[in-house]
Amino acid sequence: MAERISSTVSFPGSSSRDVLSDVLRQGAQRMLAQAIEAEVAEWIDGQAAVIDESGRRQVVRNGYLPKRTITTGIGPIEVEQPRVLDRRAKEERASFSSKILPPYLRKTKSLEELIPWLYLKGISTGDFSDALASLVGPSAKGLSPATVTRLKQIWEGEFQQWNDRSLEGKQYAYLWADGVHFNIRLEEDRQCILVLMGATADGKKELIALQDGYRESEQSWKQLLLGVKARGLVIDPKLATGDGALGFWKAINQVYRTTREQRCWVHKTANVLDKLPKRLQSQAKESIHEIWMAEKRQEADAAFDLFIKTYEAKYPKATECLTKDRAELLAFYDFPAEHWLHLRTTNPIESTFATVRLRHRRTKGNGSRIACLTMVFKLMQSAEKRWRLLNGFHRLPDVIAGVQFNDGIHPKEAAA
């Protein structure tokens, strides 16, 4: 029979607490080390087929990276991550990045991220000390309600300054747009936060604008886009990716008339499957996947037509949902193949808000309009530090120059 451990423990003195903390830290350190070792081993095993002419594996273990200390709720933990060596040429190397221990991680969760996250979850200012103490340790007790209030005021000032910044001279090759819902009580007619991100000419992803809007209406998006244009963003982006239901598309056609449209395949897949019986959804999802993962537009068109023929007789609503945005779903084929991973979905926005997104459910919580916008801004600002460059960013000058790629291939390379 498994030993049952009480959720509350009484300590007769500080020495007992220190001993237990040491035990917990040592156990956590071993567990973390084992998990990272297993993660690295699994990834290297996945590269077993990568060999040279002599049959020697090219991706192998190579000692350890320098040790670093992670701050946790039970104190600092020293961790060591195996080093991965890829012997191939630089342009062919595969990069390993631990999901358990990202290279930027120094704390299990920084206060700069925790406070906005808790706020958007509905925690009141007076409860922050207790909530934070349970997550990052007793040192958080020093964050009194007054301290949290002052932090919020400072952040609100930072958000207002950022929101008024000049965009003169800025140029974005690509845009991503989405509406994000939170469990926060906003003004009655303001039901979501509009998020606009862009990719610069040198491949960096940047947060461009945040604004609360009525649902995801055309008027709300038009107001946001006109605002960024008035602050200096006058050059039309080449392509924008977003959900087909957004009022964004009507708005951008009025503000940036030459920007092409790319529908998000994740949203579209969900919408199509919702119109099919559950027993068919798994197979239908695979068929849709074959469309947008095809290497050439001709192959994608063939897979598209096959899906329509398979389901249109019995499930016309599903096929109509797919076909109405056919051109916009396949626009990415006119852009560099290295960029397709970034262009086919709104994942740059979705992944940032994975823990606080409530697209299908909204509950009232604490807060105000400006406070919610500020906390969303802080979360995005923190996440932005970890955004990586676009794959194949060296292709962006050609994109900006208006070069149309054929199935992801530059026309000069295709002719060679």
Side-chain angles (χ1 to χ4, degrees), residues 388-409:
R388 62 183 181 87
L389 294 175
L390 262 66
N391 295 342
F393 59 88
H394 62 282
R395 299 284 193 184
L396 286 167
D398 288 329
V399 173
I400 290 172
V403 175
Q404 181 169 317
F405 287 64
N406 182 22
D407 289 332
I409 306 299

Side-chain angles (χ1 to χ4, degrees), residues 187-208:
E187 295 176 19
E188 189 171 343
D189 289 340
R190 299 182 181 273
Q191 300 179 5
C192 70
I193 304 296
L194 308 181
V195 182
L196 188 69
M197 284 177 56
T200 63
D202 54 2
K204 294 179 181 177
K205 296 173 189 170
E206 291 183 357
L207 177 63
I208 302 172

Side-chain angles (χ1 to χ4, degrees), residues 183-335:
N183 58 332
I184 192 78
R185 185 178 66 248
L186 303 179
E187 295 176 19
E188 189 171 343
D189 289 340
R190 299 182 181 273
Q191 300 179 5
C192 70
I193 304 296
L194 308 181
V195 182
L196 188 69
M197 284 177 56
T200 63
D202 54 2
K204 294 179 181 177
K205 296 173 189 170
E206 291 183 357
L207 177 63
I208 302 172
L210 286 174
Q211 180 176 301
D212 55 334
Y214 178 68
R215 300 184 183 275
E216 299 174 44
S217 68
E218 173 189 347
Q219 183 57 39
S220 296
W221 277 111
K222 186 176 180 179
Q223 182 182 355
L224 182 150
L225 293 171
L226 287 174
V228 297
K229 191 168 188 175
R231 287 190 282 125
L233 189 60
V234 296
I235 303 174
D236 291 15
K238 296 301 178 181
L239 184 73
T241 301
D243 179 4
L246 296 178
F248 171 76
W249 301 114
K250 291 182 179 178
I252 198 170
N253 286 333
Q254 300 172 55
V255 181
Y256 297 113
R257 297 180 182 276
T258 65
T259 300
R260 294 186 60 186
E261 303 176 17
Q262 171 63 50
R263 294 294 187 270
C264 172
W265 273 99
V266 171
H267 285 97
K268 177 59 71 175
T269 300
N271 292 337
V272 172
L273 295 182
D274 189 51
K275 296 170 176 57
L276 291 169
K278 286 188 176 181
R279 60 185 173 82
L280 297 177
Q281 289 182 4
S282 178
Q283 184 177 359
K285 185 176 181 179
E286 291 182 8
S287 298
I288 293 174
H289 189 266
E290 289 178 1
I291 300 173
W292 61 275
M293 289 299 290
E295 292 188 8
K296 296 182 179 181
R297 185 191 293 266
Q298 185 177 0
E299 296 171 3
D301 281 329
F304 208 115
D305 292 338
L306 179 60
F307 183 92
I308 302 305
K309 291 177 182 177
T310 303
Y311 295 103
E312 65 179 342
K314 291 187 176 181
Y315 308 104
K317 290 185 178 180
T319 54
E320 287 171 10
C321 179
L322 188 64
T323 55
K324 71 184 181 70
D325 293 320
R326 181 166 184 156
E328 292 81 5
L329 284 165
L330 302 178
F332 67 88
Y333 282 104
D334 294 333
F335 295 84

Side-chain angles (χ1 to χ4, degrees), residues 9-225:
V9 180
S10 298
F11 298 95
S14 59
S15 60
S16 298
R17 182 184 298 273
D18 292 339
V19 171
L20 181 57
S21 295
D22 288 340
V23 171
L24 290 173
R25 277 197 297 271
Q26 291 169 15
Q29 190 170 8
R30 286 194 299 272
M31 182 174 64
L32 181 58
Q34 292 168 358
I36 296 170
E37 289 277 356
E39 182 187 30
V40 171
E42 182 180 0
W43 191 84
I44 291 177
D45 286 344
Q47 305 291 319
V50 181
I51 56 177
D52 63 11
E53 295 177 353
S54 303
R56 187 175 63 166
R57 291 180 62 165
Q58 297 294 283
V59 182
V60 295
R61 280 279 300 273
N62 184 31
Y64 289 88
L65 295 170
K67 292 182 180 180
R68 54 191 167 118
T69 300
I70 307 296
T71 302
T72 74
I74 56 174
I77 294 177
E78 194 173 62
V79 295
E80 193 174 40
Q81 178 179 320
R83 188 195 305 273
V84 177
L85 173 64
D86 192 332
R87 298 190 179 103
R88 291 175 294 176
K90 186 176 181 180
E91 60 273 12
E92 298 177 348
R93 290 173 190 165
S95 177
F96 170 76
S97 180
S98 174
K99 295 180 181 178
I100 299 173
L101 190 66
Y104 57 83
L105 185 67
R106 288 296 181 273
K107 296 181 180 179
T108 50
K109 198 75 171 177
S110 70
L111 295 182
E112 194 175 59
E113 293 181 19
L114 269 176
I115 290 177
W117 186 83
L118 291 172
Y119 189 91
L120 292 170
K121 283 294 186 181
I123 301 296
S124 65
T125 302
D127 293 333
F128 265 86
S129 293
D130 290 338
L132 288 169
S134 67
L135 293 169
V136 299
S139 60
K141 286 288 187 180
L143 284 169
S144 65
T147 303
V148 173
T149 298
R150 284 196 296 271
L151 272 176
K152 286 162 57 180
Q153 290 172 348
I154 292 171
W155 291 345
E156 285 180 14
E158 291 176 355
F159 170 65
Q160 294 289 5
Q161 185 177 10
W162 175 84
N163 205 37
D164 295 333
R165 76 197 187 286
S166 172
L167 296 173
E168 194 74 34
K170 279 283 188 180
Q171 182 173 11
Y172 295 98
Y174 303 128
L175 295 180
W176 294 270
D178 205 357
V180 184
H181 297 257
F182 295 95
N183 58 332
I184 192 78
R185 185 178 66 248
L186 303 179
E187 295 176 19
E188 189 171 343
D189 289 340
R190 299 182 181 273
Q191 300 179 5
C192 70
I193 304 296
L194 308 181
V195 182
L196 188 69
M197 284 177 56
T200 63
D202 54 2
K204 294 179 181 177
K205 296 173 189 170
E206 291 183 357
L207 177 63
I208 302 172
L210 286 174
Q211 180 176 301
D212 55 334
Y214 178 68
R215 300 184 183 275
E216 299 174 44
S217 68
E218 173 189 347
Q219 183 57 39
S220 296
W221 277 111
K222 186 176 180 179
Q223 182 182 355
L224 182 150
L225 293 171

